[in-house]
Amino acid sequence: MTRIGAWIALAFGLGYFALPLIGMTEFSLKMRRGVYSFDAYAKVLADPRFQETFGYSVFMALMTIAFGVLLVVPTAYWVRLKLPRARPFVEFVTLLPLVIPAIVIVFGYIRMFNTSSFLPLTGTATGTNLLLMFGYATLSLPYMYRAVDTGLRTIDVATLTEAAQSLGAGWTVIIARVILPNVLVAVLSGAFVTFAIVMGEFTMAALLNRPAFGPYMQLLGANRAYEPAALAVIAFAITWACMGLIQLVTRFSKHTKAAR
Amino acid sequence: MAFLDIEHLEKSFGPMKVVKDFNLGIEKGEFISLLGPSGCGKTTVLRMVAGFETPSTGAIRIDGADMVGLRPNRRKIGMVFQAYALFPNLTVAQNVGFGLKIAGVNRTDADARVAEMLALIGLSDLGPRYPFQLSGGQQQRVALARALAPRPQVLLLDEPLSALDAKIRVSLRTEIREIQQRLGITTIFVTHDQEEALSISDRIVVMHQGIADQVGSPYEIYNRPSTRFVANFVGTLNVIEAEVTDPAKGHVRIAGAAADLGRALPSGKVSLAVRPEMISLGIHPGRETVLDGTITDVHFLGSVIRLKADIGAAVLAFDTFNATDAPPPKAGARVQLSLSAKDLLLLQD
């Protein structure tokens, strides 16, 4: 009885998640009357604004990942090594982006860094891009920090650090050649989540008026019928590809059996 | 001046002083063991030498150069850890070559040195493997090779055998000693295992509550312990309370039997100690003090049989060799034990 109940629950869950996706995908294929076709996809992919916004968001995602790794890996490492008592506080800080809405963060940015402020980042496109990247990094911080911290938990950080130090390594070498390679799987999973967040983010990009993929999706959704569904499927595919890559990287990591 | 000089070293963590006025001079090529129970400060001393802890006061000099204040990566000290600490992302050969790469040794020389080190530890074939593909003993050998590869001035071993099973521990400790002697490297070995320390050290420092209780050769430490703690910690010891009958001549009475220690003693009662192997079952020439007792325990250990006998004033442990034609006495049997007064140690606190 319990077994049957479990199967029913599973089927209900799968249906709940899969049916809207199936419906949306089916709708995205119905642009040509009477037959299924990829017309909506062809139209979206051929749109120069799609290519521009997609390329921009991919670039921003890569920058955000690079910045996030540079910020989070040394921080999480240092907290684990030297400030274990500060861990609950740091964890709380990294969780704040989950409870503070993106709109609040971006308004704060605009107030702090507008053209009449001490650091007028919004005055130039590069400055605004930088601000947006910081915003993305803030939004992805809870996921990136947790992923890296979990990775660090699987290795004996203190002893590996001391071993490297006794062999003549300084802090940069220790982080780059000992710590980072051993939490690479965790960093990559954090990076893929960051990628997915950046690709779909709307609020910050729209309010900072940047040509990102999120505002483009919203714009297309407001004006077309079939193309938004095709775009949503593409966005889902990107997210799922990221998830698949996390699994792939984890599976093919050479030293996942590293003992603590 | 010794090659490695430690003078008046002290370390406090908050209000707790874990190392107190620690002094030690180690000659070049010497193998020193820091021996003591958990929490005695031995690892803290080692970590201060390595540079992982900063001394509260005191000096550490290697070959005349002051080490205090120098970062760990500048000290040219090799260290082997209890938990192996091999880099999981690197192969065995890359682990061994890590220090050489940091030092900027060119590829050809580094490869040759890695091959030499792997040959030294007998794992030449395992260069391409990852640490998780090795046994504990193999991992610790690799850790030793990695520590030795950059030719450090001093080698520090922090309980390197504790995580291994008994048989591997014995073979690896012999191997460590052979390698140390072959390379002539000055070595400090931290252990809480007295057998390990006794078997491989040139000198042993017995530590207790942050203090070096006694420094001496294994023979001295075992046979002439200077404090009650050392006597109790190193080896098995029988402690007997004896009554001094003639303090000037050193005559005492133990469980009714007289013994002449031949040296002046304080009056009243004294604590004497004797090792199990210094007590014989039955009466033996040269062992003039004879005690009557009852066997309470018989432990068959293979080549040796450890027995315990109640002599009234104490329960004495003693050993006999296994012999097929002379089975050991059974529990409850009345026996005579003999010992020589010269083997009795006067314990001081």
Side-chain angles (χ1 to χ4, degrees):
Chain A
M1 188 63 192
T2 318
R3 213 180 162 87
I4 293 167
W7 279 109
I8 291 169
L10 183 68
F12 178 77
L14 282 174
Y16 182 81
F17 286 110
L19 282 176
L21 292 178
I22 293 167
M24 183 177 67
T25 310
E26 202 245 354
F27 182 71
S28 73
L29 298 169
K30 286 168 92 173
M31 194 176 186
R32 201 180 300 170
R33 189 162 297 198
V35 286
Y36 286 128
S37 72
F38 287 102
D39 286 2
Y41 293 87
K43 213 161 184 182
V44 164
L45 294 172
D47 185 353
R49 281 179 305 162
F50 169 81
Q51 291 156 14
E52 186 197 333
T53 55
F54 189 79
Y56 176 84
S57 283
V58 167
F59 174 75
M60 289 304 290
L62 295 176
M63 290 295 109
T64 306
I65 288 165
F67 176 71
V69 170
L70 285 175
L71 177 75
V72 170
V73 174
T75 307
Y77 166 67
W78 201 251
V79 167
R80 239 168 210 288
L81 189 69
K82 300 279 184 186
L83 305 165
R85 285 186 185 173
R87 251 185 86 206
F89 174 73
V90 175
E91 282 192 0
F92 172 74
V93 169
T94 62
L95 282 175
L96 285 178
L98 291 180
V99 290
I100 300 173
I103 196 161
V104 174
I105 297 171
V106 78
F107 269 119
Y109 281 176
I110 292 167
R111 269 194 77 80
M112 283 287 290
F113 304 109
N114 62 36
T115 46
S116 54
S117 73
F118 73 103
L119 190 61
L121 285 176
T122 55
T124 61
T126 312
T128 316
N129 288 342
L130 205 62
L131 208 54
L132 184 58
M133 186 194 73
F134 292 146
Y136 286 157
T138 305
L139 289 183
S140 60
L141 194 62
Y143 312 101
M144 187 58 119
Y145 188 86
R146 239 136 227 88
V148 172
D149 195 48
T150 305
L152 287 171
R153 206 175 295 169
T154 63
I155 57 171
D156 186 346
V157 171
T159 314
L160 288 180
T161 301
E162 288 175 356
Q165 281 182 312
S166 72
L167 292 164
W171 291 116
T172 315
V173 172
I174 292 170
I175 291 177
R177 285 168 51 182
V178 177
I179 301 302
L180 190 58
N182 283 301
V183 294
L184 198 59
V185 173
V187 168
L188 284 174
S189 65
F192 291 133
V193 174
T194 303
F195 189 85
I197 288 171
V198 172
M199 291 310 289
E201 205 284 327
F202 167 77
T203 316
M204 286 189 164
L207 288 169
L208 287 171
N209 196 27
R210 301 314 301 148
F213 193 54
Y216 171 71
M217 279 199 288
Q218 189 275 334
L219 188 72
L220 207 67
N223 299 301
R224 300 286 172 85
Y226 300 99
E227 287 90 334
L231 204 56
V233 173
I234 292 170
F236 267 116
I238 292 166
T239 311
W240 288 349
C242 287
M243 300 299 177
L245 280 172
I246 295 172
Q247 294 297 320
L248 210 65
V249 167
T250 311
R251 192 169 299 174
F252 288 105
S253 171
K254 278 181 185 171
H255 48 84
T256 47
K257 290 179 187 171
R260 260 178 72 88
Chain B
M1 185 189 279
F3 178 69
L4 196 165
D5 252 328
I6 301 173
E7 285 178 6
H8 307 296
L9 198 67
E10 296 203 335
K11 178 70 185 175
S12 301
F13 292 108
M16 202 156 98
K17 202 177 254 190
V18 291
V19 176
K20 300 165 194 163
D21 197 23
F22 186 88
N23 294 282
L24 183 66
I26 305 174
E27 296 305 326
K28 200 170 176 121
E30 206 176 1
F31 193 115
I32 294 278
S33 287
L34 303 183
L35 174 67
S38 298
C40 71
K42 56 189 189 300
T43 297
T44 309
V45 169
L46 193 83
R47 290 175 61 79
M48 285 193 278
V49 174
F52 301 136
E53 300 288 354
T54 309
S56 302
T57 57
I60 300 167
R61 278 186 292 274
I62 298 179
D63 207 8
D66 187 13
M67 290 290 125
V68 177
L70 201 64
R71 281 182 288 164
N73 57 333
R74 303 268 179 231
R75 295 193 180 196
K76 291 184 179 169
I77 286 175
M79 187 149 174
V80 177
F81 300 83
Q82 182 182 344
Y84 320 135
L86 294 179
F87 306 129
N89 58 311
L90 303 181
T91 63
V92 166
Q94 286 167 338
N95 263 285
V96 176
F98 185 88
L100 302 169
K101 208 168 175 180
I102 300 289
V105 176
N106 71 57
R107 183 79 184 264
T108 319
D109 292 347
D111 286 349
R113 181 69 176 162
V114 168
E116 184 190 342
M117 288 294 104
L118 289 178
L120 186 73
I121 57 163
L123 298 177
S124 294
D125 300 338
L126 302 186
R129 288 211 191 161
Y130 281 90
F132 76 86
Q133 295 170 309
L134 306 181
S135 68
Q138 287 172 329
Q139 287 192 54
Q140 202 54 296
R141 280 192 185 91
V142 175
L144 180 65
R146 182 182 67 174
L148 291 169
R151 296 187 170 86
Q153 304 184 87
V154 175
L155 178 65
L156 306 178
L157 306 164
D158 186 9
E159 306 210 27
L161 308 173
S162 300
L164 304 171
D165 62 57
K167 213 165 183 179
I168 304 284
R169 286 167 78 143
V170 174
S171 67
L172 194 53
R173 80 183 184 212
T174 312
E175 212 171 303
I176 287 173
R177 179 58 162 159
E178 280 171 9
I179 289 170
Q180 184 269 336
Q181 284 180 322
R182 206 180 310 165
L183 302 177
I185 186 165
T186 311
T187 303
I188 305 178
F189 179 81
V190 162
T191 182
H192 60 263
D193 186 325
Q194 33 138 333
E195 192 188 313
E196 258 170 39
L198 291 169
S199 66
I200 61 174
S201 314
D202 290 318
R203 280 191 298 154
I204 296 172
V205 180
V206 183
M207 290 190 68
H208 176 47
Q209 293 178 341
I211 294 168
D213 252 25
Q214 188 176 0
V215 183
S217 68
Y219 183 85
E220 285 168 343
I221 295 285
Y222 189 80
N223 292 305
R224 290 196 287 279
S226 61
T227 66
R228 182 189 282 262
F229 172 79
V230 176
N232 271 316
F233 188 74
V234 181
T236 305
L237 201 72
N238 296 297
V239 179
I240 313 165
E241 298 300 319
E243 199 179 329
V244 180
T245 51
D246 187 340
K249 289 181 179 170
H251 290 177
V252 295
R253 185 160 287 281
I254 307 163
D260 176 9
L261 269 65
R263 57 181 186 271
L265 295 171
S267 54
K269 286 197 168 180
V270 290
S271 294
L272 300 174
V274 61
R275 299 280 183 203
E277 63 271 26
M278 298 302 173
I279 301 171
S280 300
L281 183 62
I283 297 168
H284 283 261
R287 298 197 162 177
E288 69 289 343
T289 303
V290 177
L291 306 164
D292 292 319
T294 307
I295 297 292
T296 57
D297 267 318
V298 182
H299 294 285
F300 187 77
L301 304 174
S303 60
V304 170
I305 300 161
R306 172 146 297 179
L307 301 118
K308 283 185 181 170
D310 188 349
I311 60 162
V315 175
L316 300 183
F318 63 101
D319 297 334
T320 65
F321 282 111
N322 177 38
T324 49
D325 55 347
K330 288 191 165 49
R334 295 285 299 164
V335 292
Q336 282 190 312
L337 307 175
S338 57
L339 55 91
S340 170
K342 70 176 170 45
D343 295 326
L344 288 165
L345 308 164
L346 179 67
L347 293 183
Q348 291 161 350
D349 289 324

